[in-house]
Amino acid sequence: MADKGGRGRLLFFPLPLQGHVTPMLQLAEIFYSKGFSITIIHTRYNSPNPSSYPNFTFLPISDGFSEKKTSELSIFALASILNVNCLDPFKDCLTDLLSGESKVHTTCLISDTVLHFTREVAESFKLPRFVLRTSGVGVFRAFAAIPLLREKGYLPIQASRLEEPVPELPPLRVKDLPVINVPNAEMFYQLIAGLVNEARTSSGVIFNSFEELEQSAVAAVRQEFPTPIFPVGPFHQYFPSASSSLVQPDETSISWLDKQAPKSVIYVSFGSIAAVKENEFLEIAWGLANCKHPFLWVIRPGSIHGSQWLESLPSGFLDMVGERGHIVKWAPQLEVLAHPAVGAFWTHNGWNSTLESICAGVPMICMPCFTDQFVIARYVTHVWKVGVQLDNGLERKTIVEVIRKLMDNEEGEEIRNRVVDFKEKANVSLRHGGSSHGTLENLISCISSS
Ligand code: UDX
């Protein structure tokens, strides 16, 4: 291993959302272990905790937000505003950083594909720019196809065509296309087009994925896309990492799991952004109550429309489930998934959660909520076949059926065996001779010669 910092300095700029900050910091740790010096440029909003990363330099820049304002924004509005507000502060930050440079040479910038403004600034400083795409390669391919899907009339989605296959993007159906129900669809399309363009104009696109998982999507993107792509994941498997959690996890999750039987628990969490309607929340609660399995349920404050936290739970629910259920505001998810008591993960299929579940060998109950999660859920259920989808509305009866199928049936056992196979493939990809191991070496050469 090279001396720490001896290979030059890398600048990282994450989008300030949990699902983006986590893989960016994990990637920074991977490069640190390979001898690079690490500087994290970040917004004040959702700032990472520097004390968890004593070897990194953290440079906060102004984002023009107050906490109150951001809580009222959709993630798409937030990303669009950051792309305007951060342009000048980022320029100033690079001016200071690069002009005062003497001891350590800055090799390149690695920014999130959603932060479009970083391209113009990096170009003005002639600083090579690689990008991190925090979701899967198959999702990226679907994003890149959005103009074509609009041209062919698949988008905007029509309710009468939901079940139709999309032959241009197998195995997706119209209902699996990566869109979101927002008032201004044009703004969403522009953000995604910008993301694809950021990737196209970069020196290389880094993915938190591995070839054995996304073989055909990787091959297709390599053929269709002019820019080199580097699937070097799963990042969190490289080494036990410092916590990149923006929220303090509730450790009672683990002491409660310690009391449960092996593979008996359903872990329920819908990531850091997704929210459900009150009637959906009630169906989830009754589904969990009626399925008779123990459950660990993450309910973030504000994740039920119109409620602060648990007020919408049916009266008497907590007494009825008693010790069989444990509810927390935020869990130490990697530890939870690695716990022997966990038998299934009921997830929204955010990319990080999906990858973490696969690497822990835990089968999934899929409940995608928006954008990339629809694509990911389709891959989970129909390509990798490591989960079952909650389809056609969220009803307590269907929930119980799906849980039983996964937890109590032979079909569930087959699904479990397949996910354990992928877990092993993920480990192999990181070892000497594995695909991610080799791709990381290529990426390092590419960065070092940029
Ligand atoms: C979002 C998108 O949904 C996702 O698809 C995209 O790729 C990144 O941005 P999010 O919805 O938060 O992210 O989901 P996910 O990608 O699964 O990331 C959530 C992260 O938070 C995971 O790393 C998970 O381990 C962590 N987490 C979640 C916790 O540590 N504790 C919890 O209780 C819940």
Side-chain angles (χ1 to χ4, degrees):
M1 196 188 292
D3 288 346
K4 296 285 187 268
R7 278 179 141 156
R9 170 166 48 190
L10 300 182
L11 308 180
F12 291 80
F13 197 155
L15 179 73
L17 294 173
Q18 183 72 70
H20 293 249
V21 168
T22 295
M24 188 66 97
L25 289 172
Q26 288 165 343
L27 184 65
E29 283 196 279
I30 295 167
F31 279 107
Y32 178 73
S33 77
K34 296 289 177 186
F36 290 91
S37 154
I38 305 296
T39 296
I40 311 284
I41 301 172
H42 63 91
T43 57
R44 291 187 190 279
Y45 169 67
N46 267 350
S47 157
N49 181 1
S51 65
S52 304
Y53 298 89
N55 298 313
F56 297 178
T57 304
F58 284 83
L59 295 177
I61 65 163
S62 160
D63 47 43
F65 280 144
S66 70
E67 287 295 329
K68 185 171 180 304
K69 252 200 212 151
T70 48
S71 65
E72 291 157 10
L73 291 172
S74 76
I75 46 166
F76 295 97
L78 184 119
S80 302
I81 296 172
L82 283 177
N83 273 309
V84 176
N85 287 6
C86 292
L87 179 77
D88 287 332
F90 181 50
K91 251 189 224 161
D92 295 344
C93 174
L94 282 196
T95 307
D96 286 352
L97 203 62
L98 301 178
S99 63
E101 197 156 72
S102 54
K103 284 191 231 105
V104 188
H105 167 68
T106 299
T107 311
C108 75
L109 167 72
I110 301 181
S111 54
D112 192 293
T113 40
V114 177
L115 299 176
H116 306 167
F117 64 93
T118 58
R119 170 165 55 98
E120 169 187 339
V121 179
E123 277 171 7
S124 72
F125 286 92
K126 299 202 168 29
L127 182 66
R129 179 183 54 96
F130 289 72
V131 290
L132 171 63
R133 175 79 276 264
T134 54
S135 195
V137 182
V139 169
F140 180 73
R141 193 163 176 241
F143 276 165
I146 283 185
L148 176 78
L149 298 170
R150 294 181 76 185
E151 201 182 296
K152 294 210 163 187
Y154 294 112
L155 295 177
I157 289 180
Q158 295 150 45
S160 58
R161 299 184 65 185
L162 290 178
E163 300 295 334
E164 269 181 43
V166 179
E168 291 80 359
L169 288 173
L172 303 190
R173 302 158 296 181
V174 169
K175 70 202 247 188
D176 305 315
L177 293 176
V179 290
I180 186 166
N181 199 0
V182 281
N184 187 348
E186 207 49 52
M187 184 167 116
F188 168 73
Y189 293 138
Q190 271 174 25
L191 192 79
I192 301 298
L195 174 159
V196 174
N197 192 43
E198 277 313 287
R200 202 186 296 278
T201 55
S202 71
S203 302
V205 191
I206 304 167
F207 284 96
N208 183 13
S209 188
F210 56 106
E211 289 200 33
E212 291 77 356
L213 185 68
E214 294 206 89
Q215 215 147 28
S216 63
V218 169
V221 172
R222 285 210 167 116
Q223 201 176 22
E224 293 161 8
F225 210 66
T227 316
I229 68 160
F230 300 95
V232 295
F235 296 170
H236 70 282
Q237 292 290 95
Y238 278 76
F239 23 66
S241 98
S243 169
S244 54
S245 197
L246 299 169
V247 182
Q248 188 62 33
D250 185 334
E251 295 298 336
T252 64
S253 311
I254 303 299
S255 45
W256 178 84
L257 282 173
D258 286 342
K259 292 185 222 138
Q260 312 305 322
K263 295 197 175 25
S264 65
V265 172
I266 303 153
Y267 169 55
V268 188
S269 167
F270 308 129
S272 64
I273 302 165
V276 295
K277 298 190 192 113
E278 191 179 328
N279 64 321
E280 294 171 325
F281 177 68
L282 288 176
E283 293 307 308
I284 296 172
W286 283 118
L288 289 170
N290 296 346
C291 80
K292 307 294 179 214
H293 277 276
F295 60 88
L296 171 62
W297 187 5
V298 177
I299 306 179
R300 282 180 291 111
S303 65
I304 304 133
H305 292 299
S307 292
Q308 296 287 324
W309 193 38
L310 299 182
E311 317 85 92
S312 314
L313 273 181
S315 67
F317 178 86
L318 293 174
D319 288 338
M320 183 180 56
V321 296
E323 275 294 296
R324 182 164 68 82
H326 190 61
I327 295 176
V328 294
K329 291 180 176 168
W330 190 253
Q333 184 160 302
L334 286 175
E335 275 178 80
V336 167
L337 288 170
H339 197 286
V342 172
F345 182 11
W346 182 350
T347 170
H348 70 311
N349 288 118
W351 183 248
N352 297 290
S353 293
T354 304
L355 210 53
E356 288 162 8
S357 199
I358 289 173
C359 292
V362 175
M364 283 165 266
I365 296 166
C366 305
M367 193 187 87
C369 298
F370 58 83
T371 333
D372 58 341
Q373 299 156 15
F374 298 120
V375 179
I376 299 166
R378 185 69 174 165
Y379 272 79
V380 167
T381 54
H382 285 78
V383 179
W384 309 318
K385 301 190 171 103
V386 294
V388 284
Q389 186 145 358
L390 266 171
D391 239 341
N392 303 328
L394 202 53
E395 283 180 12
R396 60 195 80 176
K397 186 166 158 282
T398 329
I399 293 170
V400 173
E401 283 165 9
V402 165
I403 291 176
R404 298 227 164 114
K405 186 164 152 184
L406 196 58
M407 301 290 278
D408 308 329
N409 281 353
E410 214 169 286
E411 191 181 338
E413 208 42 48
E414 287 164 16
I415 293 176
R416 193 175 303 279
N417 291 341
R418 275 193 291 270
V419 74
V420 170
D421 276 355
F422 275 112
K423 172 185 173 174
E424 184 48 27
K425 283 183 177 148
N427 290 334
V428 169
S429 80
L430 296 183
R431 285 190 210 129
H432 202 81
S435 69
S436 290
H437 185 275
T439 307
L440 180 63
E441 293 303 312
N442 292 343
L443 173 60
I444 289 172
S445 325
C446 212
I447 283 179
S448 302
S449 61
S450 63

